[in-house]
Amino acid sequence: MAILTEVKQKEWQAAVNYVTEVYETVKKRNPGESEFHQAVKEIFDSLVPVFAKHPKYMEQSILERISEPERMITFRVPWVDDQGKPQVNRGFRVQFNSAIGPYKGGLRFHPSVNASIIRFLGFEQIFKNSLTGQPIGGGKGGSDFDPKGKSESEIMKFTQSFMTELAKHIGPDLDVPAGDIGVGAREIGYMFGQYKRLRGAHEAGVLTGKGIGYGGSLARTEATGFGTVYFVEEMLKDQGLSFNGSTVVVSGSGNVSIYAIQKATQLGAKVVACSDSNGYIYDKNGINLDTVKRLKEVERKRISEYVTEHPEARYVEGCSGIWTIPCDIALPCATQNEINEINAKVLVANGVKAVGEGANMPSSLEAIEVFLNNKVLFAPAKAANAGGVAVSALEMAQNSMRLAWTFEEVDAKLHEIMVNIYKNSVKAAEEYGFPGNLVVGANIAGFLKVADNMIAQGVV
Ligand code: GLU
């Protein structure tokens, strides 16, 4: 990292030592949690200029405090499958930080879910939520349950059992879960029903991403994907570029991807590829979003089915090959660490101009280095995918007021929030000596608000 001219070498070194020491403690305290270590390292390294300039945060042991969750809940989720056999999964909820509002963050149902994944997602959520400017703290949860291949009744039984335990720990002013990978409108509906039954009350604000008929917000479904594109659009605009006429690759084909494809296409881009966990499709004329939507949202089929309806397209097994497709803009919207150093180098060699992270931590630390060193415009996840949780906070606000805004109102607020996140990240990056580096800018802007409010509330 370059050294700020106005900061003395000694102060910089003290900050580096502090960050290194606390990072080692975090690693020791959470052995084997590689995803959590990665998320912590990215944030900690970005904060060196803050500690060099303001030693008060070191005096307040802020990193030691912010990297330890306020609470981490692990629980058994028993359920009976369609054959009558009892099954057991593991449930998690991390209540990471409540300095600026109730814990807020999604639930992920995926076989890869473990303590490391939940802790990294919860940690990221603290800073992301802070960036939205909304009063929401950081939390996350989920289970290693695999929804793939399960029947409707198995999904309902599992989800109800999961909520039976989770309900003891959440509430509209305490902790407000939502969706993430494997948890969409159907699962939120079943969880809301079970929570309502257990509480004996209709507490709309306990979950977000609800159906419109029982307290959901218009534009919440679209929010993460739209938000990512709004953020990238702003970043491109600053360099005299735009989505119009560009070739775009979007990984994934879930909720984030679908609405990123929709908005990018609306802005004049041609989206030529998307994927699922088995492989990717490439359609040089631009993919047909209606087909993707039907396959994924309605029929719950694999993306490989796309080529039977569109024989001009190509399906390729394996997902990482998607990054070999030449494009102007890459939007990784699938999952963590889907872009490694090699993928990043190939993207750069093929002339990528901008990368916008719709998923959580989709680029490895080495991949981020490659993008930044090659002057690729890089929109980090915490900033670029904050639109989903931002509209979740708007859903909570509507629930508290017992009012519902129109799609246009919510979409306009989302747009404004994304523009503000971009501006605040740019400003923080400049102020702390890393102009144009949105990784540093977003991390610092997100951190300062949480840290200052933690200090204001004393050692709790
Ligand atoms: N799971 C989403 C995220 O990663 C949304 C969370 C929410 O709406 O609470 O931010």
Side-chain angles (χ1 to χ4, degrees):
M1 279 186 174
I3 291 167
L4 284 174
T5 44
E6 74 266 28
V7 174
K8 289 185 207 85
Q9 178 98 37
K10 213 176 92 213
E11 282 150 349
W12 187 270
Q13 196 50 51
V16 170
N17 292 348
Y18 173 62
V19 159
T20 312
E21 253 166 55
V22 186
Y23 177 60
E24 287 308 318
T25 311
V26 169
K27 281 212 297 197
K28 233 180 265 159
R29 191 174 273 165
N30 305 282
E33 298 196 1
S34 60
E35 293 85 0
F36 180 49
H37 301 167
Q38 180 183 339
V40 168
K41 178 141 187 58
E42 188 210 288
I43 298 258
F44 278 19
D45 283 350
S46 302
L47 297 176
V48 168
V50 176
F51 302 137
K53 209 166 173 176
H54 307 292
K56 71 167 181 189
Y57 295 114
M58 297 191 278
E59 286 151 22
Q60 287 282 343
S61 305
I62 204 75
L63 288 186
E64 292 89 329
R65 291 158 65 189
I66 213 167
S67 58
E68 183 63 23
E70 290 176 23
R71 207 167 290 106
M72 174 78 162
I73 302 148
T74 310
F75 50 97
R76 178 169 68 193
V77 189
W79 56 285
V80 179
D81 69 17
D82 287 350
Q83 283 69 50
K85 181 139 182 21
Q87 301 284 344
V88 173
N89 284 98
R90 183 172 284 177
F92 297 91
R93 185 73 185 166
V94 65
Q95 299 181 332
F96 225 121
N97 194 295
S98 61
I100 58 174
Y103 310 108
K104 181 84 197 85
L107 297 169
R108 177 177 291 192
F109 291 171
H110 192 272
S112 65
V113 165
N114 57 29
S116 173
I117 300 280
I118 295 301
R119 228 187 291 270
F120 114 67
L121 288 165
F123 189 63
E124 296 265 303
Q125 204 82 40
I126 303 170
F127 306 94
K128 181 198 309 196
N129 293 4
S130 162
L131 281 169
T132 67
Q134 307 289 307
I136 41 179
K140 201 85 188 190
S143 173
D144 57 1
F145 173 76
D146 187 358
K148 230 179 272 157
K150 300 291 190 299
S151 70
E152 272 287 325
S153 98
E154 288 175 328
I155 297 276
M156 193 195 291
K157 281 186 280 187
F158 168 80
T159 307
Q160 288 177 335
S161 178
F162 181 85
M163 181 49 90
T164 302
E165 183 61 31
L166 187 68
K168 297 171 188 164
H169 309 286
I170 61 175
D173 294 314
L174 170 62
D175 183 358
V176 183
D180 197 83
I181 294 172
V183 177
R186 174 180 60 173
E187 292 74 19
I188 293 291
Y190 295 157
M191 279 192 270
F192 187 76
Q194 183 71 353
Y195 178 87
K196 180 164 63 73
R197 188 182 189 195
L198 290 163
R199 273 285 182 283
H202 193 289
E203 294 176 359
V206 71
L207 289 167
T208 61
K210 298 181 294 293
I212 303 304
Y214 60 97
S217 174
L218 288 165
R220 174 62 188 89
T221 309
E222 293 82 357
T224 315
F226 277 21
T228 300
V229 172
Y230 291 151
F231 188 95
V232 173
E233 187 192 20
E234 218 46 40
M235 181 174 76
L236 292 169
K237 212 160 70 185
D238 250 0
Q239 308 299 319
L241 303 168
S242 79
F243 272 99
N244 197 16
S246 65
T247 299
V248 179
V249 167
V250 179
S251 62
S253 49
N255 170 265
V256 182
S257 316
I258 285 174
Y259 294 97
I261 295 172
Q262 183 166 316
K263 186 52 76 180
T265 309
Q266 263 175 30
L267 294 178
K270 186 167 73 173
V271 181
V272 294
C274 69
S275 58
D276 64 16
S277 55
N278 291 359
Y280 68 91
I281 52 160
Y282 172 61
D283 196 335
K284 67 175 186 321
N285 302 316
I287 54 182
N288 183 312
L289 187 58
D290 290 337
T291 308
V292 175
K293 267 192 189 170
R294 180 170 41 75
L295 285 174
K296 286 297 177 179
E297 288 184 334
V298 184
E299 298 170 3
R300 298 180 192 273
K301 286 191 177 151
R302 306 309 300 169
I303 201 72
S304 55
E305 300 279 328
Y306 180 94
V307 290
T308 51
E309 289 174 51
H310 301 277
E312 72 286 1
R314 200 152 51 85
Y315 172 71
V316 183
E317 272 306 318
C319 345
S320 69
I322 198 171
W323 306 121
T324 62
I325 300 169
C327 62
D328 303 306
I329 301 164
L331 302 178
C333 296
T335 195
Q336 67 272 359
N337 290 326
E338 55 170 308
I339 300 186
N340 62 21
E341 186 177 4
I342 296 169
N343 305 141
K345 283 183 174 160
V346 174
L347 278 163
V348 169
N350 284 336
V352 75
K353 294 186 193 75
V355 175
E357 297 190 317
N360 288 312
M361 206 169 77
S363 311
S364 69
L365 292 171
E366 297 77 20
I368 296 175
E369 278 300 308
V370 172
F371 294 135
L372 296 179
N373 291 340
N374 287 280
K375 304 267 172 288
V376 173
L377 301 174
F378 183 74
K382 272 177 231 84
N385 78 25
V389 76
V391 173
S392 275
L394 300 181
E395 183 172 328
M396 290 163 71
Q398 292 170 80
N399 294 152
S400 295
M401 294 188 296
R402 298 180 189 278
L403 285 174
W405 295 325
T406 64
F407 185 95
E408 289 70 26
E409 276 175 284
V410 180
D411 189 36
K413 288 185 205 299
L414 166 66
H415 190 261
E416 192 187 331
I417 289 170
M418 298 315 294
V419 170
N420 282 337
I421 296 175
Y422 175 72
K423 285 189 179 147
N424 292 338
S425 304
V426 168
K427 198 167 142 235
E430 245 163 48
E431 218 173 292
Y432 284 89
F434 290 84
N437 185 331
L438 294 175
V439 177
V440 169
N443 286 342
I444 292 179
F447 166 81
L448 287 174
K449 184 174 166 196
V450 177
D452 289 341
N453 287 295
M454 282 173 75
I455 292 168
Q457 290 169 39
V459 180
V460 290

Short mmCIF file of all heavy atoms in Angstrom, two decimals, residues 265-285:
data_model
loop_
_atom_site.label_atom_id
_atom_site.label_comp_id
_atom_site.label_asym_id
_atom_site.label_seq_id
_atom_site.Cartn_x
_atom_site.Cartn_y
_atom_site.Cartn_z
N THR A 265 -29.88 -5.12 -19.61
CA THR A 265 -30.48 -5.17 -20.95
C THR A 265 -31.30 -3.91 -21.21
O THR A 265 -31.21 -3.30 -22.28
CB THR A 265 -31.37 -6.44 -21.09
OG1 THR A 265 -30.59 -7.57 -20.69
CG2 THR A 265 -31.83 -6.64 -22.52
N GLN A 266 -32.07 -3.50 -20.18
CA GLN A 266 -32.86 -2.25 -20.31
C GLN A 266 -31.98 -1.06 -20.62
O GLN A 266 -32.38 -0.13 -21.31
CB GLN A 266 -33.57 -1.97 -18.99
CG GLN A 266 -35.01 -2.43 -18.93
CD GLN A 266 -35.57 -2.20 -17.52
OE1 GLN A 266 -35.18 -1.26 -16.81
NE2 GLN A 266 -36.49 -3.05 -17.12
N LEU A 267 -30.76 -1.09 -20.10
CA LEU A 267 -29.83 0.04 -20.31
C LEU A 267 -29.04 -0.11 -21.61
O LEU A 267 -28.08 0.61 -21.84
CB LEU A 267 -28.88 0.18 -19.12
CG LEU A 267 -29.53 0.57 -17.79
CD1 LEU A 267 -28.50 0.65 -16.67
CD2 LEU A 267 -30.27 1.90 -17.89
N GLY A 268 -29.41 -1.10 -22.42
CA GLY A 268 -28.81 -1.19 -23.76
C GLY A 268 -27.66 -2.16 -23.89
O GLY A 268 -26.98 -2.19 -24.92
N ALA A 269 -27.41 -2.97 -22.84
CA ALA A 269 -26.32 -3.95 -22.92
C ALA A 269 -26.80 -5.24 -23.57
O ALA A 269 -28.01 -5.52 -23.60
CB ALA A 269 -25.79 -4.26 -21.53
N LYS A 270 -25.87 -6.02 -24.09
CA LYS A 270 -26.20 -7.37 -24.57
C LYS A 270 -25.57 -8.36 -23.59
O LYS A 270 -24.35 -8.44 -23.47
CB LYS A 270 -25.63 -7.56 -25.98
CG LYS A 270 -26.06 -8.90 -26.59
CD LYS A 270 -25.79 -8.96 -28.08
CE LYS A 270 -24.31 -9.10 -28.32
NZ LYS A 270 -23.95 -9.33 -29.70
N VAL A 271 -26.43 -9.09 -22.87
CA VAL A 271 -25.93 -10.08 -21.91
C VAL A 271 -25.83 -11.42 -22.63
O VAL A 271 -26.85 -11.97 -23.07
CB VAL A 271 -26.85 -10.17 -20.67
CG1 VAL A 271 -26.30 -11.19 -19.67
CG2 VAL A 271 -27.01 -8.81 -20.02
N VAL A 272 -24.62 -11.94 -22.75
CA VAL A 272 -24.41 -13.10 -23.61
C VAL A 272 -24.29 -14.43 -22.84
O VAL A 272 -24.25 -15.48 -23.46
CB VAL A 272 -23.17 -12.93 -24.52
CG1 VAL A 272 -23.39 -11.81 -25.53
CG2 VAL A 272 -21.90 -12.69 -23.69
N ALA A 273 -24.19 -14.37 -21.52
CA ALA A 273 -24.02 -15.63 -20.78
C ALA A 273 -24.55 -15.55 -19.37
O ALA A 273 -24.58 -14.47 -18.77
CB ALA A 273 -22.53 -16.00 -20.74
N CYS A 274 -24.99 -16.70 -18.86
CA CYS A 274 -25.28 -16.85 -17.43
C CYS A 274 -25.08 -18.32 -17.08
O CYS A 274 -24.78 -19.14 -17.96
CB CYS A 274 -26.67 -16.34 -17.07
SG CYS A 274 -28.01 -17.34 -17.72
N SER A 275 -25.21 -18.69 -15.80
CA SER A 275 -24.80 -20.04 -15.40
C SER A 275 -25.63 -20.57 -14.23
O SER A 275 -26.42 -19.84 -13.63
CB SER A 275 -23.32 -20.00 -14.97
OG SER A 275 -23.15 -19.08 -13.91
N ASP A 276 -25.44 -21.84 -13.91
CA ASP A 276 -25.86 -22.34 -12.60
C ASP A 276 -24.71 -23.19 -12.07
O ASP A 276 -23.62 -23.19 -12.66
CB ASP A 276 -27.22 -23.06 -12.64
CG ASP A 276 -27.23 -24.32 -13.48
OD1 ASP A 276 -26.15 -24.83 -13.81
OD2 ASP A 276 -28.33 -24.80 -13.81
N SER A 277 -24.93 -23.96 -10.99
CA SER A 277 -23.78 -24.62 -10.38
C SER A 277 -23.26 -25.80 -11.23
O SER A 277 -22.21 -26.35 -10.93
CB SER A 277 -24.12 -25.09 -8.97
OG SER A 277 -25.28 -25.89 -9.01
N ASN A 278 -23.97 -26.15 -12.30
CA ASN A 278 -23.48 -27.23 -13.18
C ASN A 278 -22.70 -26.73 -14.39
O ASN A 278 -21.80 -27.41 -14.88
CB ASN A 278 -24.64 -28.08 -13.71
CG ASN A 278 -25.28 -28.90 -12.61
OD1 ASN A 278 -24.84 -28.85 -11.46
ND2 ASN A 278 -26.32 -29.65 -12.94
N GLY A 279 -23.08 -25.57 -14.93
CA GLY A 279 -22.43 -25.10 -16.15
C GLY A 279 -22.99 -23.76 -16.60
O GLY A 279 -23.75 -23.12 -15.86
N TYR A 280 -22.58 -23.33 -17.81
CA TYR A 280 -23.06 -22.03 -18.28
C TYR A 280 -23.60 -22.10 -19.70
O TYR A 280 -23.27 -23.03 -20.46
CB TYR A 280 -21.95 -20.97 -18.19
CG TYR A 280 -20.79 -21.15 -19.13
CD1 TYR A 280 -20.78 -20.57 -20.40
CD2 TYR A 280 -19.67 -21.90 -18.75
CE1 TYR A 280 -19.71 -20.73 -21.27
CE2 TYR A 280 -18.58 -22.07 -19.61
CZ TYR A 280 -18.61 -21.48 -20.87
OH TYR A 280 -17.55 -21.63 -21.72
N ILE A 281 -24.43 -21.12 -20.03
CA ILE A 281 -24.92 -21.01 -21.41
C ILE A 281 -24.33 -19.76 -22.04
O ILE A 281 -24.12 -18.74 -21.37
CB ILE A 281 -26.46 -20.95 -21.50
CG1 ILE A 281 -27.04 -19.86 -20.58
CG2 ILE A 281 -27.07 -22.31 -21.18
CD1 ILE A 281 -28.43 -19.43 -20.94
N TYR A 282 -24.04 -19.86 -23.33
CA TYR A 282 -23.51 -18.73 -24.08
C TYR A 282 -24.38 -18.53 -25.30
O TYR A 282 -24.58 -19.48 -26.08
CB TYR A 282 -22.06 -19.00 -24.48
CG TYR A 282 -21.47 -17.96 -25.42
CD1 TYR A 282 -21.37 -16.63 -25.03
CD2 TYR A 282 -21.02 -18.31 -26.69
CE1 TYR A 282 -20.84 -15.67 -25.88
CE2 TYR A 282 -20.49 -17.34 -27.56
CZ TYR A 282 -20.41 -16.03 -27.14
OH TYR A 282 -19.89 -15.08 -27.99
N ASP A 283 -24.95 -17.37 -25.43
CA ASP A 283 -25.82 -17.05 -26.56
C ASP A 283 -25.32 -15.73 -27.14
O ASP A 283 -25.54 -14.67 -26.55
CB ASP A 283 -27.27 -16.92 -26.05
CG ASP A 283 -28.28 -16.98 -27.19
OD1 ASP A 283 -27.90 -16.64 -28.33
OD2 ASP A 283 -29.44 -17.36 -26.94
N LYS A 284 -24.62 -15.82 -28.25
CA LYS A 284 -23.92 -14.61 -28.74
C LYS A 284 -24.87 -13.50 -29.16
O LYS A 284 -24.47 -12.33 -29.23
CB LYS A 284 -22.93 -14.96 -29.86
CG LYS A 284 -23.54 -15.46 -31.16
CD LYS A 284 -22.43 -15.65 -32.19
CE LYS A 284 -22.90 -16.01 -33.57
NZ LYS A 284 -24.02 -16.95 -33.69
N ASN A 285 -26.14 -13.85 -29.40
CA ASN A 285 -27.12 -12.81 -29.77
C ASN A 285 -27.78 -12.16 -28.55
O ASN A 285 -28.64 -11.30 -28.69
CB ASN A 285 -28.19 -13.41 -30.67
CG ASN A 285 -27.59 -14.02 -31.92
OD1 ASN A 285 -26.71 -13.42 -32.54
ND2 ASN A 285 -28.01 -15.23 -32.26
#
